[in-house]
Amino acid sequence: MIVPGSASQEVAAALASELDEPLAAVEYDWFADGETLVRVPDAGDRAIVVASTVSDSAQVELLQLQDAARQRAEEVVTVLPYMGYGRQDEAFEPGEPVSARAMARAISTGTDRVMTVNPHEASIADFFEVPCATVDAASHL
């Protein structure tokens, strides 16, 4: 089953069509304090979470989607059409984080494998604590 993030609806639907996989009907709810809750009704044996992390809230949403999918699926694969913070692949000044590494570590906690699409640097794949492949989609764009 393909589990789409809110910022990746079209690419997730296209992937579901291409793979002849069902597209999950993810439900969203918001609490009064602005926090988000996602619900993944069914993920099957394998869930492919497709979510761009275009903002901090999208990053949190991805972690929630992974966790919800893991409740039902034996395998979770994460596809990142766009990885936020991917350009911060080194510390430029003392005391700064390597944000790409921090995000990769967080994403790794909820998935078995990751695919990044056209990352800023292919070397960010090394930051993940699970197998990570980079995919070049430039010819399709």
Side-chain angles (χ1 to χ4, degrees), residues 28-62:
Y28 296 91
D29 202 356
W30 291 268
F31 296 102
D33 64 359
E35 292 178 354
T36 304
L37 175 66
V38 301
R39 287 184 197 88
V40 179
D42 185 22
D45 292 337
R46 179 178 69 171
I48 301 172
V49 178
V50 180
S52 290
T53 54
V54 296
S55 66
D56 292 349
S57 60
Q59 178 76 30
V60 171
E61 178 186 296
L62 168 61

Side-chain angles (χ1 to χ4, degrees), residues 2-15 23 28 49-54 61 79-82:
I2 307 298
V3 179
S6 61
S8 302
Q9 295 287 319
E10 288 182 34
V11 70
L15 184 60
L23 186 65
Y28 296 91
V49 178
V50 180
S52 290
T53 54
V54 296
E61 178 186 296
V79 177
L80 301 171
Y82 175 81

Side-chain angles (χ1 to χ4, degrees), residues 96-131:
E96 290 182 352
V98 179
S99 297
R101 180 178 57 209
M103 296 302 109
R105 287 178 177 164
I107 293 166
S108 295
T109 63
T111 193
D112 297 299
R113 291 182 290 138
V114 174
M115 294 181 72
T116 62
V117 180
N118 291 93
H120 174 65
E121 293 289 337
S123 62
I124 68 163
D126 297 335
F127 292 146
F128 289 89
E129 296 174 350
V130 296

